[in-house]
Amino acid sequence: MNGHTRGGPLAGIRVLAIAKVWAGPYTAKLLGQLGAEVLKVESTSSLDEMRAYGGLDIEHAPYFLSQNTEALSVRVNMKSAEGLARLKDMIAISDIVLDNLRPGAMAKLGLSFPEMQAIRPDIIHVSIKMYGSDGPLGQQTGYAPSFGAIGGVTGLVGHEGGLPEGMNIRFGDTSAGAAAAFAAVAALHHRERTGEGQQVDLSAVETMSSLVGDRLLEYALTGDVPRHRGNAHDALAPHGFFPCAQNGWISIVCEAERDWQALCDGLDSPALAKDPRFASLSQRLAHRGELEVDLAALTAAHEACDLGARLRAAGVAAYPAASSLDLMASDTFWSNGTYRTVLNGNGDARPVVGPSWRMAPGEADIANGAPTLGQHDDYVYRELLGLEEAEYDRLKANGAIS
């Protein structure tokens, strides 16, 4: 059992996270939100790059603070033979080793999966790479925009007739991180059944390709090359976002004829309901561009929340597009724990995004934010590894702990 048990389904599981930037720390954060104890390996000479983002000192960098909730920071100089030896001691007391280092970096450290199995036979190694570790492109490295582009998602995002526009640059990292956390939990289940550890070799590019769904097969089935089509739907019209007052937007989808009639009534537009171009679903699909222009002219005068409430009361699937400020102002998200305030290692209180699930009983406590560099050195080296004070001081003095 770990020494920082906070409850949750993964209470007692220890994750050694040799992970930087976004995808790896995001995986660790999800596992931590499930109750795992996360030991984040850092060093002064090899900082997580996120500690340098934001133009502030390393203990107040906003991106780092957002991604390392409940992590415990332990300094290890992996360029030092003694530091590497202590890292192996940490592997011996961990359940999962997580890394998203460059391809081949772990093997160069003498930490290939077989070498880690020699330290702990039932270890689980979760490795996140752009292409995974095998194949002709296994040595390539890249970042979230690379994952989205090569994986096929970017080419499907954008307005019809325009250029591919991609999406939030973090989408590739968070998608790969979530897939890695899912795989880690599955590997724990496998170990529980069989006693065996596992190596999880995760490809961020393949993770993104899996999100493309049936569009991967579209050409083979239809002969049409998949392309970006904005918010259009093959079988529904209207289906998309429409402008509202004060720079707002509203999502409107009509599936049945009764939805279409309710939409026309909700917009007080009998002319729209009687327009022969839109008299049936097939007609609306055939004249989708004109339909969207006419709808946009009608929605533009309305406030998005008010219009959404009116249309939903009539049975239309209509919802305002929430901004980040709208989300942060939501009483619901604060009351259910989606958003919460934690106390960072630097002493600052900070709002963070909590887990997207609710569990009863046994949900993990989440009260601590991101750690300061080396904040948990004493806990890991003295309590977990059992080093005597003199040996601990010696390792700090010679740079193995730095």
Side-chain angles (χ1 to χ4, degrees):
M1 296 290 289
N2 69 53
H4 280 69
T5 300
R6 298 174 288 108
L10 294 187
I13 297 298
R14 181 173 292 124
V15 179
L16 186 65
I18 310 172
K20 299 181 178 184
V21 190
W22 207 272
Y26 188 77
T27 303
K29 181 170 76 168
L30 292 179
L31 297 174
Q33 288 178 343
L34 288 168
E37 179 184 79
V38 175
L39 306 183
K40 182 179 178 69
V41 174
E42 302 188 81
S43 74
T44 305
S45 60
S46 183
L47 287 173
D48 185 332
E49 287 90 327
M50 291 297 101
R51 283 195 181 274
Y53 272 38
L56 302 171
D57 65 76
I58 64 171
E59 308 299 4
H60 294 84
Y63 287 109
F64 182 88
L65 297 178
S66 71
Q67 284 305 105
N68 291 277
T69 305
E70 288 289 356
L72 309 181
S73 174
V74 55
R75 291 180 300 161
V76 183
N77 182 355
M78 293 189 292
K79 298 177 182 178
S80 157
E82 288 193 294
L84 190 56
R86 297 292 79 76
L87 183 66
K88 292 177 179 179
D89 292 340
M90 294 176 202
I91 292 173
I93 60 171
S94 297
D95 299 283
I96 297 171
V97 174
L98 166 68
D99 94 272
N100 66 331
L101 304 184
R102 290 179 176 274
M106 292 291 284
K108 289 180 180 178
L109 291 171
L111 296 176
S112 65
F113 182 55
E115 288 168 317
M116 284 193 280
Q117 284 183 304
I119 299 170
R120 177 167 176 165
D122 65 348
I123 196 70
I124 293 168
H125 178 209
V126 179
S127 174
I128 304 172
K129 302 289 183 284
M130 184 163 84
Y131 282 106
S133 300
D134 296 328
L137 297 175
Q139 294 303 309
Q140 296 293 318
T141 189
Y143 299 91
S146 311
F147 311 158
I150 302 168
V153 174
T154 300
L156 297 177
V157 179
H159 293 291
E160 191 171 8
L163 296 172
E165 296 181 357
M167 51 205 315
N168 185 287
I169 63 170
R170 299 297 176 201
F171 187 72
D173 281 323
T174 53
S175 297
F182 174 79
V185 172
L188 286 169
H189 176 67
H190 172 82
R191 191 178 73 174
E192 181 71 20
R193 288 190 304 107
T194 68
E196 297 176 335
Q198 279 193 325
Q199 182 170 33
V200 177
D201 182 15
L202 187 131
S203 163
V205 169
E206 291 176 33
T207 300
M208 296 301 286
S209 288
S210 72
L211 302 178
V212 175
D214 55 3
R215 301 300 297 275
L216 282 171
L217 305 175
E218 184 171 341
Y219 180 78
L221 296 173
T222 68
D224 295 328
V225 176
R227 64 191 188 281
H228 47 288
R229 300 184 56 204
N231 298 304
H233 192 283
D234 290 335
L236 300 176
H239 183 283
F241 284 87
F242 300 90
C244 289
Q246 301 176 23
N247 297 315
W249 292 85
I250 190 168
S251 167
I252 298 175
V253 176
C254 291
E255 184 174 5
E257 285 303 317
R258 65 177 178 274
D259 301 336
W260 169 247
Q261 293 301 322
L263 174 61
C264 295
D265 292 343
L267 290 172
D268 298 321
S269 180
L272 192 68
K274 296 177 181 178
D275 194 314
R277 296 173 300 168
F278 313 137
S280 66
L281 176 58
S282 60
Q283 285 290 90
R284 291 193 293 275
L285 286 167
H287 298 91
R288 187 179 68 238
E290 299 160 73
L291 171 63
E292 291 177 352
V293 170
D294 287 359
L295 276 178
L298 292 169
T299 61
H302 296 273
E303 197 278 327
C305 288
D306 293 342
L307 180 59
R310 184 199 311 176
L311 294 178
R312 289 196 302 278
V316 181
Y319 296 88
S323 69
S324 297
L325 290 178
D326 293 331
L327 295 175
M328 291 301 292
S330 168
D331 290 339
T332 299
F333 288 155
W334 281 102
S335 62
N336 68 16
T338 301
Y339 304 142
R340 62 187 70 199
T341 299
V342 296
L343 188 66
N344 291 322
N346 61 24
D348 293 343
R350 177 184 172 84
V352 296
V353 179
S356 55
W357 54 79
R358 306 292 167 263
M359 292 182 176
E363 191 166 82
D365 294 331
I366 301 171
N368 297 305
T372 56
L373 180 63
Q375 181 180 344
H376 302 94
D377 286 351
D378 284 4
Y379 166 67
V380 174
Y381 287 107
R382 298 297 309 282
E383 186 173 335
L384 295 185
L385 299 186
L387 267 61
E388 296 294 336
E389 185 172 1
E391 175 65 3
Y392 178 46
D393 290 342
R394 186 185 70 81
L395 292 174
K396 287 191 289 186
N398 70 15
I401 301 173
S402 65

